[in-house]
Amino acid sequence: MAHPALTPQQLARTAAEVSPRLGHLVLAALTFLAAALYVPDRFAALVLMGVAGTLAALALMLRGLAGRHRRAEDALRAGIAAVAGHDAAPCMTTTPDGEVGWANAAAAERFGDIAGSTLARALGDLFANPSAVVFRLQNRAAATGAAQEEVVTRRGHVRLAVHRLGEAGCFWRFDEIGDRGGGRGAETLSLPMLTASRSGTVLFMNEPLRNLLGGRVKTLDRVFTRLPVRSGEEVEVSAAGGPVRAILGEIEGPAGRRELYLLPLGEGGAAAPAAGGISFDGLPVPVLRLAPDGQILAANRLARELLSLQPEGPLPRLAEVVDGPGRPLRDWLAEAAAGRGGIRPEVLRAIRRSDEVFVQVALRPVSEDGRAALIAVLTDATELKTLEGQFVQSHKMQAIGQLAGGIAHDFNNLLTAISGHCDLLLLRHDRGDQDYADLVQIHQNANRAASLVGQLLAFSRKQTLSPEILDLRDLLSDLIHLLGRLVGQRVTLTLSADPELPPVRADRRQFEQVLMNLVVNARDAMPAGGEIRIETETLHLSEELRRDNAVVPPGDYVVVRVCDAGEGIPPERLAKIFEPFFTTKRQAEGTGLGLSMVYGIVKQSGGFIFVDSAVGQGTTFSLLLPAQDAAAGAAAPAPPPEPVRPTPGVAGAAILLVEDEAPVRAFAARALRLKGYSVIEADTAEAALEVLADPAVAVDLVVTDVVMPGMDGPTWVREALRDRPEMRVVFVSGYAEESLNDAHARIPNAVFLAKPFSLGDLTATVQRQLH
């Protein structure tokens, strides 16, 4: 069996390990040589002399390798000493077994004489469980070559960095980061405090807390009698001399760590002076002392900074610095002073700040000199409130989308019945009839209503893009009337279009949404009124355009600009306007999603969007969309509308009509019978299955609604196709077709007809399916 060869480093290390035993090898060689001189057998003497020579050669080789290893170690140590010897941070090397080999002056000053000691033992007084940290870092360094980790110590934070030195061991460096809490000096702070991990492991506790507990503990359940604990709450500490009540203050640290500070309570609930005489102003968490009527009696430095209170002068009432919790502030304070209502913390808005800041206020009743008072522990809850607002806004948008979809479905059913019966009336009236013009008006307004409902679905629901070749001149001409109604009477909307504008490739409904969002934003930027301009032009780039971290490749582009003369966007906000949930509007006035949706749609269409703005002068959004060949836009003209005239049906064709809305069912049945079809009506899916259960009933085509009480359209059709696999299907629905793609894609011979549909739409679709 072949054994792997040793590397030169391994061989040198082996030589160094056996070098203390080289004398034994030399002695053995001399012994074999002496024996060879006195053995009478010449052959045996030659063998003994050969063994002696081999041992001597091995001893010389090992001695040379050991010397080389020592010289390499000395060179490595000299190189490290030259680089890190004068480093202000403690540095040292360790052997593969963890023993300290070399240490610089900073390490000697920090840890003392640790040569020959293990690194874990040297770090024992610095933080808890050093062996696990050293083992973890060594394993990571062995795998990747280097590793680092931040550890909480009694002096603050320290960053341990380790680098692998081949077979020689590891090089360590210790960076004292200090206290992350703004220079609070945890070890020298006279207020009891600790640092805990997310899992509840105590990473560090200062001397006042160790004295209070009677020693160091490892988990939070050994500190507090009941978990969990929250900032501002009154807690009970498992002190060495018995339970001690205290008010807890918490500051969130890095990597999910928690810094917990304890303000012990004396007799009657009054705040006891901390050991060492720490001042109220020096407390490391924002704290207020309040009278039961809300007058602020005292505020420490951090509380004054958080609430924007003047450092000197009389203090205001609490109601003058924060908004109430949704009920009278006086009632909340009275309940807290009386100890009623569970004294839940409330999140309030600081009204003296120029920026929007939310503060969680936790109240605890205390007694000072026999008078009732309140201690309020404050926590900056701005980030939490912002996330909560984004979550609520997201759910609101989802609810609005669902509501809009449901409304659109119901309206589409009504519009189908209105426009359908109008079509039937138009069949019985000539142009000269005095009622003909009124019927045409009803029909046109029903179509306009259908267009608005379609836009409601497009603007309120996230849909897959269906790009097509668009002539923006026609699109803007159709859309300008809707946009004019959106901007109101105080705002003038003007359109300046390039008459030679080439077509673009985009989703029509989504591009309408882009323009609507930009125009609405422009309107909101001019509350006193003004002018919004929509401009289009063709742009040719002979070389790439670099702007705003985007690279626009050379080529022909269609540029669409939306310009306003509004308030403008400050430079510090300009880089954030496309971020989701970012909005400059007040609460409930904007979603913060409009421009992020605009950005996504434009980018998904292969285009670019840029913004130019100056405060007080206005804002211009520029869309760049790749221009398409004009011939491509004219290659597929839109099919002409189906004329509303009776056409001969397919002889003998039987149609099963399934629709739960009676007016829609009545119109569709009459329309199909006018075409010569035989129509069987059913108001539910279950009734349709009963009809098809009779094998004597012949059905060539099914026209069915999708959303119905009981079984929906795709479900009952799949069941019916088991016995009638050749049956053709037309699905109709007031919802968007995208919501049905997955459902009817698995059903053979099925097509979709969106509501509202006209008489001509229905009969044309049926004819195509039957042929």
Side-chain angles (χ1 to χ4, degrees):
M1 177 178 179
H3 295 279
L6 292 175
T7 65
Q9 293 85 354
Q10 292 171 327
L11 191 60
R13 184 179 174 189
T14 302
E17 292 173 351
V18 302
S19 59
R21 299 180 177 82
L22 288 178
H24 298 289
L25 287 175
V26 174
L27 180 61
L30 293 175
T31 302
F32 277 102
L33 181 60
L37 295 176
Y38 292 98
V39 171
D41 189 341
R42 182 179 178 82
F43 177 76
L46 290 174
V47 171
L48 291 173
M49 290 178 67
V51 172
T54 301
L55 291 175
L58 180 60
L60 290 174
M61 182 185 70
L62 291 177
R63 182 176 180 181
L65 289 174
R68 184 189 303 175
H69 180 72
R70 282 193 299 271
R71 289 192 297 273
E73 281 190 336
D74 291 341
L76 179 61
R77 189 178 294 109
I80 292 174
V83 174
H86 301 288
D87 196 333
C91 302
M92 63 187 71
T93 62
T94 58
T95 67
D97 297 328
E99 291 186 0
V100 178
W102 170 88
N104 67 353
E109 180 181 355
R110 179 70 176 80
F111 301 106
D113 185 11
I114 54 175
S117 176
T118 63
L119 179 60
R121 183 179 302 170
L123 300 178
D125 293 333
L126 189 62
F127 54 86
N129 200 9
S131 299
V133 176
V134 172
F135 180 75
R136 182 166 60 247
L137 287 172
Q138 278 184 326
N139 285 343
R140 285 164 52 191
T144 62
Q148 70 175 24
E149 185 173 323
E150 289 188 15
V151 181
V152 181
T153 73
R154 65 187 58 187
R155 295 189 179 185
H157 290 69
V158 63
R159 180 184 294 116
L160 275 69
V162 57
H163 298 266
R164 186 163 54 89
L165 300 175
E167 299 292 334
C170 295
F171 172 78
W172 298 81
R173 190 174 188 272
F174 303 82
D175 281 323
E176 298 278 358
I177 302 175
D179 193 348
R180 288 284 181 88
R184 290 185 288 273
E187 185 59 50
T188 59
L189 184 68
S190 56
L191 196 72
M193 70 82 59
L194 62 86
T195 303
S197 68
R198 186 183 289 108
S199 62
T201 301
V202 176
L203 303 174
F204 165 75
M205 59 174 58
N206 66 354
E207 185 176 358
L209 183 57
R210 292 197 299 271
N211 294 336
L212 181 64
L213 299 177
R216 187 191 300 274
V217 298
K218 294 185 178 181
T219 56
L220 286 180
D221 58 357
R222 303 289 300 277
V223 179
F224 303 104
T225 59
R226 186 173 59 183
L227 295 176
V229 291
R230 298 179 180 87
S231 182
E233 290 186 343
E234 182 178 315
V235 296
E236 192 173 74
V237 182
S238 302
V244 172
R245 292 186 303 127
I247 293 178
L248 178 76
E250 177 177 344
I251 296 177
E252 185 177 348
R257 299 185 180 114
R258 306 168 63 192
E259 294 183 9
L260 306 180
Y261 297 85
L262 300 176
L263 182 61
L265 297 176
E267 294 296 329
I278 185 172
S279 66
F280 176 77
D281 198 61
L283 291 175
V285 290
V287 179
L288 301 175
R289 280 206 298 261
L290 303 171
D293 62 356
Q295 176 64 45
I296 300 178
L297 303 176
N300 72 342
R301 179 182 57 82
L302 294 179
R304 292 195 301 269
E305 292 176 357
L306 184 60
L307 299 176
S308 291
L309 301 179
Q310 295 298 327
E312 302 294 339
L315 291 169
R317 303 175 71 86
L318 185 63
E320 298 174 15
V321 295
V322 295
D323 274 341
R327 57 180 174 138
L329 195 64
R330 181 178 301 176
D331 294 347
W332 179 51
L333 295 175
E335 288 183 5
R340 299 193 307 268
I343 322 180
R344 288 180 49 207
E346 296 283 357
V347 177
L348 313 176
R349 187 172 68 88
I351 58 179
R352 291 198 171 191
R353 296 284 295 255
S354 57
D355 52 345
E356 192 169 47
V357 172
F358 291 91
V359 180
Q360 178 180 286
V361 181
L363 299 175
R364 281 296 172 270
V366 296
S367 176
E368 296 184 348
D369 300 327
R371 292 177 299 178
L374 290 166
I375 291 290
V377 179
L378 312 181
T379 306
D380 189 346
T382 305
E383 184 176 356
L384 176 65
K385 196 69 176 178
T386 302
L387 292 174
E388 179 187 357
Q390 293 175 359
F391 179 77
V392 171
Q393 194 73 294
S394 175
H395 276 261
K396 183 195 299 183
M397 288 300 298
Q398 182 181 6
I400 290 174
Q402 293 174 348
L403 177 63
I407 292 174
H409 174 265
D410 293 339
F411 266 91
N412 279 333
N413 277 327
L414 295 173
L415 291 172
T416 300
I418 292 171
S419 61
H421 284 92
C422 189
D423 284 342
L424 293 174
L425 287 173
L426 284 171
L427 291 176
R428 299 200 300 269
H429 290 74
D430 295 328
R431 290 183 179 272
D433 195 314
Q434 62 179 359
D435 295 331
Y436 188 84
D438 295 335
L439 292 173
V440 169
Q441 283 293 320
I442 294 173
H443 193 274
Q444 288 179 350
N445 282 282
N447 288 338
R448 289 180 61 191
S451 176
L452 289 174
V453 172
Q455 290 175 5
L456 180 64
L457 278 174
F459 298 151
S460 301
R461 303 179 66 196
K462 186 178 179 181
Q463 298 178 355
T464 305
L465 291 185
S466 301
E468 57 181 298
I469 300 299
L470 297 179
D471 188 334
L472 291 186
R473 296 170 297 183
D474 296 339
L475 184 147
L476 289 171
S477 297
D478 295 339
L479 193 62
I480 197 70
H481 302 291
L482 173 63
L483 296 177
R485 290 196 295 272
L486 280 177
V487 299
Q489 297 180 352
R490 290 186 297 179
V491 176
T492 303
L493 181 65
T494 60
L495 173 62
S496 175
D498 184 350
E500 302 297 328
L501 203 66
V504 298
R505 188 172 186 271
D507 184 297
R508 182 184 184 90
R509 289 185 298 178
Q510 299 285 17
F511 193 75
E512 288 174 348
Q513 180 178 351
V514 166
L515 292 175
M516 174 173 284
N517 285 343
L518 294 178
V519 169
V520 168
N521 282 348
R523 176 203 66 187
D524 294 342
M526 300 185 296
E531 181 186 12
I532 300 175
R533 301 190 317 277
I534 301 179
E535 304 171 350
T536 63
E537 68 172 359
T538 304
L539 174 67
H540 175 75
L541 293 179
S542 56
E543 57 183 18
E544 66 181 23
L545 170 66
R546 293 181 175 270
R547 179 181 172 183
D548 301 342
N549 298 322
V551 179
V552 184
D556 293 324
Y557 293 88
V558 172
V559 182
V560 181
R561 296 189 185 91
V562 178
C563 313
D564 67 67
E567 301 169 350
I569 305 172
E572 64 271 13
R573 293 180 175 177
L574 204 58
K576 300 180 180 180
I577 59 173
F578 295 118
E579 295 179 3
F581 299 111
F582 178 80
T583 179
T584 58
K585 300 177 183 178
R586 290 179 295 181
Q587 185 72 18
E589 288 188 357
T591 64
L593 292 173
L595 288 178
S596 64
M597 294 168 63
V598 166
Y599 179 85
I601 293 171
V602 171
K603 297 297 289 185
Q604 196 171 353
S605 301
F608 300 86
I609 181 168
F610 302 107
V611 57
D612 299 283
S613 186
V615 176
Q617 299 182 21
T619 303
T620 298
F621 285 90
S622 301
L623 312 181
L624 275 67
L625 298 172
Q628 304 294 318
D629 187 1
E642 183 74 16
V644 184
R645 295 189 179 277
T647 55
V650 177
I655 297 177
L656 175 59
L657 175 62
V658 187
E659 171 64 62
D660 62 307
E661 290 286 337
V664 177
R665 189 172 67 251
F667 151 66
R670 286 185 59 190
L672 292 172
R673 289 189 178 108
L674 283 175
K675 299 297 181 181
Y677 299 115
S678 173
V679 180
I680 305 171
E681 298 182 39
D683 59 354
T684 64
E686 290 76 11
L689 289 174
E690 289 181 8
V691 171
L692 294 177
D694 185 358
V697 177
V699 173
D700 301 300
L701 177 72
V702 169
V703 178
T704 178
D705 195 6
V706 173
V707 179
M708 295 181 292
M711 298 177 69
D712 61 23
T715 301
W716 85 261
V717 166
R718 276 193 292 268
E719 185 173 334
L721 287 176
R722 297 173 187 170
D723 299 325
R724 300 173 183 252
E726 302 301 323
M727 186 173 64
R728 296 177 178 269
V729 183
V730 176
F731 287 111
V732 296
S733 177
Y735 288 111
E737 180 179 3
E738 284 82 357
S739 62
L740 303 172
N741 281 341
D742 291 339
H744 76 73
R746 298 188 298 269
I747 298 177
N749 302 321
V751 296
F752 178 80
L753 177 62
K755 294 179 181 178
F757 50 79
S758 66
L759 186 150
D761 295 333
L762 175 62
T763 55
T765 303
V766 168
Q767 278 188 320
R768 284 194 298 270
Q769 276 294 85
L770 288 174
H771 284 89

